[in-house]
Amino acid sequence: MDERKNPSIHCTVGQCAHNLCSENYCTLDQVHIDTHEPDPSVKECVDCASFMKRTGCQ
Ligand code: SF4
């Protein structure tokens, strides 16, 4: 895995395989943001569709 952080994508989701959790940044060049709601109205309606579960923070 590429462990360089993308300084444009701050993320605290340490459970994601793409997260550099020692610094709270994503390591991808870009991410896909999506929604699970038909008409999103608050930030809780929005998701990172690039999330991938991992077993632990590295
Ligand atoms: S893929 Fe999404 S959830 Fe995972 S580290 Fe990057 S921004 Fe965070």
Side-chain angles (χ1 to χ4, degrees), residues 13-39:
V13 184
Q15 294 85 355
C16 178
H18 300 305
N19 193 273
L20 183 60
C21 40
S22 60
E23 299 191 45
N24 291 332
Y25 278 92
C26 184
T27 57
L28 297 177
D29 290 336
Q30 61 179 5
V31 291
H32 177 199
I33 306 302
D34 204 351
T35 182
H36 54 273
E37 300 286 347
D39 185 18

Side-chain angles (χ1 to χ4, degrees), residues 36-51:
H36 54 273
E37 300 286 347
D39 185 18
S41 57
V42 293
K43 63 183 179 182
E44 285 79 8
C45 300
V46 179
D47 309 295
C48 179
S50 300
F51 173 85

